[in-house]
Amino acid sequence: MLVPMELHSLTQRKGYLSPDLAIGWQIGKYVAEFFDGLEEVEIAAACDNDATLALSHLTRQHGNPGQVIVPESTRPWDFLFYHLTTGTMLGFTLIQQRTHLPKGIRDLEPALSVDNPTTVEIYQAGLDLLIKSLLSQPVTSFSQIHQIRCRRLQVMENSKQQPHCQRCGCLTSIHKLWDIEGEICCPSCSGLEPAWYTYH
């Protein structure tokens, strides 16, 4: 299987190539191309796994060794990227049928600890096939991508208005409001990670 040179060096350090490494690598490359680099991109991942490792590796390659945030609570996406300069947010939701091993292959996992070369060979073949598919197909084949425009609402410094968030209805200081695709939202309803509010 042909593996990009940079990804190969990462797998050499890790000791293996996993589907999650391939997913993180492919999504990271997609985002880097979309935003013409990762220098101004904030990143969050739903869980801390090999995909997160691949994204961290890519940020270092792009001269921005930023931390990939992993929230403590669940999110409606698997990966979230926010471009500071353009105010563009990209959310990725993985299509599990295309990012996980078929059930028949997963059912072999308990038997892998037993000395059974045939089972290991079948399982490895299924794993290789999944990784090959992830590396050879476009990101859109295994994830849904949502692009959202989000900008901090520009207001006069001396404004004392306290309008309602159009999503949750809460009163919010006008200095904290966001314009999310034309909807005026409080920070909690913006969809951004809380750690990113201060950057914009």
Side-chain angles (χ1 to χ4, degrees), residues 20 23-25 27-28 31 42-53 55 68-69 75-82 89-94 99 142-146 196:
D20 283 337
I23 289 168
W25 185 264
I27 288 176
V31 173
E42 298 292 333
I43 305 172
C47 59
D48 192 5
N49 58 16
D50 283 347
T52 305
L53 175 68
L55 289 170
V68 178
I69 295 172
R75 296 291 190 265
W77 38 258
D78 291 295
F79 304 97
L80 189 69
F81 300 83
Y82 177 55
M89 188 161 54
L90 289 181
F92 292 76
T93 305
L94 298 178
T99 57
F142 62 82
S143 67
Q144 296 174 332
I145 305 171
H146 305 283
W196 299 345

Side-chain angles (χ1 to χ4, degrees), residues 146-181:
H146 305 283
Q147 180 179 341
I148 301 166
R149 178 186 60 84
C150 41
R151 291 174 175 80
R152 192 73 174 263
L153 203 62
Q154 299 298 316
V155 295
M156 298 292 290
E157 280 297 319
N158 59 355
S159 176
K160 294 182 180 178
Q161 286 181 290
Q162 197 171 21
H164 289 84
C165 168
Q166 293 179 349
R167 291 188 177 172
C168 71
C170 290
L171 282 172
T172 307
S173 165
I174 197 164
H175 297 286
K176 295 181 179 179
L177 289 173
W178 288 76
D179 177 348
I180 309 296
E181 293 291 342

Side-chain angles (χ1 to χ4, degrees), residues 3-14 57 61:
V3 177
M5 185 65 71
E6 302 94 337
L7 177 57
H8 178 71
S9 67
L10 177 59
T11 60
Q12 291 292 100
R13 291 212 313 264
K14 188 71 178 172
H57 182 76
Q61 284 191 332

Side-chain angles (χ1 to χ4, degrees), residues 18-39:
S18 68
D20 283 337
L21 273 177
I23 289 168
W25 185 264
Q26 289 290 81
I27 288 176
K29 294 301 262 185
Y30 177 96
V31 173
E33 185 175 327
F34 188 91
F35 290 129
D36 194 25
L38 295 174
E39 293 79 5

Side-chain angles (χ1 to χ4, degrees), residues 182-200:
E183 268 191 302
I184 305 307
C185 304
C186 65
S188 297
C189 292
S190 69
L192 291 165
E193 281 302 299
W196 299 345
Y197 298 160
T198 56
Y199 288 112
H200 217 20

